[in-house]
């Protein structure tokens, strides 16, 4: 069974079904990382799969960017629990006729992402495959891990950084255009957030999650895990300038564009109410208060004091 409840979606329905089948053979499921006690330490361990045609396209990204992005996605799970990165293992599937130059560049990208996060490459596996597959396992130290379960009514809901860059890049590619340099960088080389994760943990973060499926989808997971509700003040969502411009071109409110942007790898967290804006100002990345956790279940969103509807999070298995 799942130790930490997950939010809605067919993808997560399937995870719940697997957990139900495993029953007592599984332990600790539902958080961003498995937390394993070893030799007096707590290790945070996670794995993340990146599939050609699902997570990336070769006509959009260079091979080194494919490697960097895949590794960064896995390493972000360590940030989500405030763990210190230690090691990364890469399982790589490549077509039989793939060139050495492509494989070398992918390896360089993975290595750069690991180095940026402070992790070492510790091994992996290599196999022939019909398309590119990158499966990254990451390991970190977590002396005081921050789980998804723990938000309390009255806690402040905060987000790191600014949102919307990945969707701005994706929208440009889908329209047959080239994304701006900044939007492309946000998509291809997401910045590690381990330093700000440690900062939030030092300010008594009670619950945390990284944004991979979009702000709304991942916030719903945080609420489900903590068994609380929240009010989201959408006008306070920090929006990257290039994302605001892309939203304007689409005739969409910038907050909504940013809220439906996935694979951001920024952090959502619950902080005690007595952690002030002044306390947050020294953070290594901007931390913005965008709402409050509440006792009443569900997610309520307002703009200018009026209720607004929210976009759904990403689901790998949407219902037809």
């Amino acid at each position: 069974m799942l130790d930490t409840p997950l939010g809605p979606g067919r993808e997560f329905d399937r995870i719940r079904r697997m957990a139900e089948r495993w029953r007592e053979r599984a332990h600790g499921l539902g958080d961003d990382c498995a937390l394993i006690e070893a030799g007096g330490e707590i290790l945070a361990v996670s794995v993340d799969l990146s599939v050609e045609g699902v997570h990336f396209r070769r006509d959009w990204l260079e091979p080194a960017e494919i490697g960097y992005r895949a590794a960064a996605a896995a390493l972000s799970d360590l940030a989500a629990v405030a763990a210190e990165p230690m090691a990364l293992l890469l399982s790589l599937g490549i077509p039989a006729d793939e060139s050495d130059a492509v494989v070398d560049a992918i390896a360089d990208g993975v290595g750069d992402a690991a180095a940026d996060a402070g992790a070492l490459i510790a091994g992996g596996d290599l196999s022939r495959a019909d398309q590119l597959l990158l499966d990254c396992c990451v390991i970190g130290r977590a002396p005081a891990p921050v789980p998804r379960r723990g938000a309390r009514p009255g806690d402040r809901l905060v987000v790191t950084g600014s949102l919307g860059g990945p969707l701005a890049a994706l929208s440009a590619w889908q329209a047959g255009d080239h994304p701006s340099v900044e939007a492309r960088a946000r998509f291809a080389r997401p910045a590690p957030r381990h330093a700000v994760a440690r900062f939030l943990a030092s300010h008594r973060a009670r619950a945390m999650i990284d944004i991979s499926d979009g702000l709304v989808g991942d916030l719903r997971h945080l609420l489900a895990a903590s068994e609380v509700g929240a009010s989201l003040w959408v006008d306070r969502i920090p929006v990257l300038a290039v994302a605001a411009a892309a939203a304007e071109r689409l005739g969409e409110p910038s907050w909504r564009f940013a809220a439906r942007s996935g694979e951001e790898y920024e952090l959502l967290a619950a902080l005690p109410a007595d952690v002030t804006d002044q306390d947050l100002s020294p953070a290594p990345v901007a931390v913005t208060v965008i709402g409050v956790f509440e006792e009443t279940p569900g997610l309520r969103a307002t703009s200018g004091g009026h209720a607004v509807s929210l976009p759904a999070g990403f689901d790998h298995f949407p219902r037809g």
Side-chain angles (χ1 to χ4, degrees):
M1 298 292 289
L2 287 166
D3 291 57
T4 300
L6 296 172
R10 192 174 178 210
E11 174 184 351
F12 308 104
D13 290 342
R14 288 184 162 174
I15 294 173
R16 280 183 277 266
R17 286 172 62 88
M18 288 190 286
E20 175 66 25
R21 299 181 74 86
W22 290 327
R23 293 185 178 273
E24 70 278 357
R25 289 172 287 182
H27 174 71
L29 303 183
D31 225 312
D32 285 279
C33 289
L35 300 174
I36 302 170
E37 293 186 21
E41 284 193 306
I42 298 177
L43 298 181
V45 183
S46 187
V47 63
D48 198 272
L49 179 64
S50 188
V51 181
E52 183 176 358
V54 177
H55 298 91
F56 63 88
R57 284 174 43 171
R58 296 205 203 198
D59 54 335
W60 292 352
L61 296 180
E62 297 296 328
E65 294 172 328
I66 292 169
Y68 192 101
R69 189 168 180 266
L75 289 158
S76 180
D77 284 340
L78 297 180
V81 299
E84 176 189 352
M86 295 170 56
L88 181 148
L89 293 89
L90 169 68
S91 289
L92 179 62
I94 57 174
D97 59 352
E98 194 64 74
S99 72
D100 287 343
V102 167
V103 177
D104 290 348
I106 290 173
D108 288 344
V110 171
D112 288 346
D116 287 349
L120 295 174
I121 308 295
D125 192 22
L126 183 63
S127 174
R128 177 169 52 84
D130 292 335
Q131 58 191 351
L132 279 179
L133 303 170
L134 295 86
D135 197 19
C136 296
C137 175
V138 293
I139 303 168
R141 293 187 186 90
V146 181
R148 292 183 183 183
R149 182 196 294 267
R152 303 177 190 175
D155 284 350
R156 309 182 87 189
L157 169 62
V158 302
V159 67
T160 65
S162 296
L163 307 182
L167 183 57
L170 184 62
S171 298
W173 279 315
Q174 290 175 333
D177 297 328
H178 295 291
S180 70
V181 172
E182 185 175 15
R184 181 192 178 94
R186 293 294 181 108
F187 185 95
R189 295 178 67 92
R193 292 303 186 222
H194 303 91
V196 72
R198 291 190 293 270
F199 175 89
L200 293 170
S202 73
H203 285 74
R204 296 176 285 136
R206 300 195 215 266
M208 196 152 62
I209 192 172
D210 67 333
I211 300 176
S212 56
D213 294 331
L215 184 151
V216 175
D218 288 309
L219 177 53
R220 292 192 192 279
H221 291 312
L222 206 61
L223 300 183
S226 298
E227 299 179 297
V228 294
S231 283
L232 175 64
W233 308 321
V234 299
D235 297 325
R236 297 195 184 185
I237 295 173
V239 184
L240 200 66
V242 292
E248 185 176 3
R249 289 193 294 271
L250 294 173
E252 181 178 7
S254 60
W255 69 261
R256 188 177 182 86
F257 185 93
R260 67 183 181 90
S261 179
E263 297 179 315
E264 293 277 352
Y265 305 114
E266 297 291 349
L267 301 174
L268 287 171
L271 298 179
D274 61 353
V275 177
T276 67
D277 290 352
Q278 184 175 356
D279 293 332
L280 298 176
S281 61
V285 176
V287 176
T288 306
V289 179
I290 59 172
V292 63
F293 290 91
E294 299 171 336
E295 186 172 357
T296 303
L299 178 57
R300 294 157 290 278
T302 57
S303 173
H306 300 286
V308 294
S309 62
L310 291 169
F314 178 79
D315 192 334
H316 276 281
F317 306 100
R319 299 187 188 279

Short mmCIF file of all heavy atoms in Angstrom, two decimals, residues 29 49 54 60 80 136 150 208 267 287 301 310 318:
data_model
loop_
_atom_site.label_atom_id
_atom_site.label_comp_id
_atom_site.label_asym_id
_atom_site.label_seq_id
_atom_site.Cartn_x
_atom_site.Cartn_y
_atom_site.Cartn_z
N LEU A 29 6.15 3.87 -0.17
CA LEU A 29 5.79 4.36 -1.50
C LEU A 29 5.01 5.68 -1.42
O LEU A 29 4.27 5.91 -0.48
CB LEU A 29 4.94 3.32 -2.24
CG LEU A 29 5.54 1.93 -2.43
CD1 LEU A 29 4.60 1.05 -3.25
CD2 LEU A 29 6.90 2.01 -3.10
N LEU A 49 12.79 8.03 -15.57
CA LEU A 49 12.91 7.53 -16.94
C LEU A 49 12.63 8.64 -17.95
O LEU A 49 11.65 9.38 -17.81
CB LEU A 49 11.93 6.37 -17.15
CG LEU A 49 11.89 5.71 -18.53
CD1 LEU A 49 13.22 5.05 -18.85
CD2 LEU A 49 10.76 4.68 -18.58
N VAL A 54 8.52 10.94 -25.97
CA VAL A 54 7.63 11.24 -24.86
C VAL A 54 8.16 12.42 -24.05
O VAL A 54 7.46 13.40 -23.83
CB VAL A 54 7.46 10.01 -23.94
CG1 VAL A 54 6.58 10.35 -22.72
CG2 VAL A 54 6.86 8.84 -24.71
N TRP A 60 14.42 18.88 -31.46
CA TRP A 60 14.34 20.01 -30.55
C TRP A 60 15.59 20.18 -29.70
O TRP A 60 15.98 21.31 -29.38
CB TRP A 60 13.14 19.86 -29.61
CG TRP A 60 11.80 19.96 -30.30
CD1 TRP A 60 11.56 20.32 -31.59
CD2 TRP A 60 10.52 19.69 -29.72
NE1 TRP A 60 10.21 20.30 -31.86
CE2 TRP A 60 9.54 19.91 -30.72
CE3 TRP A 60 10.10 19.28 -28.46
CZ2 TRP A 60 8.20 19.74 -30.49
CZ3 TRP A 60 8.74 19.11 -28.23
CH2 TRP A 60 7.79 19.35 -29.24
N ALA A 80 13.65 17.66 -3.87
CA ALA A 80 12.28 17.67 -3.35
C ALA A 80 12.19 17.19 -1.91
O ALA A 80 11.23 17.51 -1.21
CB ALA A 80 11.38 16.82 -4.23
N CYS A 136 17.74 7.23 -15.03
CA CYS A 136 18.72 7.71 -14.07
C CYS A 136 18.29 7.38 -12.65
O CYS A 136 17.18 7.73 -12.23
CB CYS A 136 18.91 9.22 -14.19
SG CYS A 136 19.58 9.76 -15.77
N GLY A 150 2.88 16.47 5.55
CA GLY A 150 3.33 17.30 6.67
C GLY A 150 2.76 18.70 6.68
O GLY A 150 2.85 19.40 7.70
N MET A 208 7.22 19.22 0.96
CA MET A 208 7.83 19.77 -0.24
C MET A 208 7.66 18.78 -1.39
O MET A 208 7.57 17.57 -1.19
CB MET A 208 9.31 20.06 0.02
CG MET A 208 9.99 20.97 -0.99
SD MET A 208 11.36 21.91 -0.25
CE MET A 208 12.47 20.59 0.26
N LEU A 267 10.42 24.13 -6.81
CA LEU A 267 9.92 23.47 -5.62
C LEU A 267 8.68 24.17 -5.08
O LEU A 267 8.61 25.41 -5.05
CB LEU A 267 10.99 23.45 -4.53
CG LEU A 267 12.30 22.75 -4.88
CD1 LEU A 267 13.32 22.95 -3.76
CD2 LEU A 267 12.08 21.27 -5.14
N VAL A 287 11.94 33.02 -3.47
CA VAL A 287 10.87 32.20 -2.91
C VAL A 287 9.65 33.10 -2.76
O VAL A 287 9.71 34.14 -2.10
CB VAL A 287 11.27 31.61 -1.54
CG1 VAL A 287 10.11 30.83 -0.93
CG2 VAL A 287 12.50 30.72 -1.68
N ALA A 301 -8.85 28.42 -6.04
CA ALA A 301 -7.98 29.42 -6.66
C ALA A 301 -8.75 30.72 -6.87
O ALA A 301 -9.92 30.71 -7.25
CB ALA A 301 -7.46 28.91 -8.00
N LEU A 310 -8.76 26.05 -12.71
CA LEU A 310 -7.35 25.75 -12.84
C LEU A 310 -7.12 24.71 -13.92
O LEU A 310 -7.95 23.82 -14.13
CB LEU A 310 -6.79 25.22 -11.52
CG LEU A 310 -6.71 26.23 -10.38
CD1 LEU A 310 -6.42 25.53 -9.06
CD2 LEU A 310 -5.64 27.28 -10.67
N PRO A 318 -3.76 9.84 -20.17
CA PRO A 318 -5.05 10.53 -20.09
C PRO A 318 -6.18 9.64 -20.59
O PRO A 318 -5.99 8.80 -21.46
CB PRO A 318 -4.86 11.74 -21.03
CG PRO A 318 -3.78 11.31 -21.97
CD PRO A 318 -2.87 10.43 -21.17
#
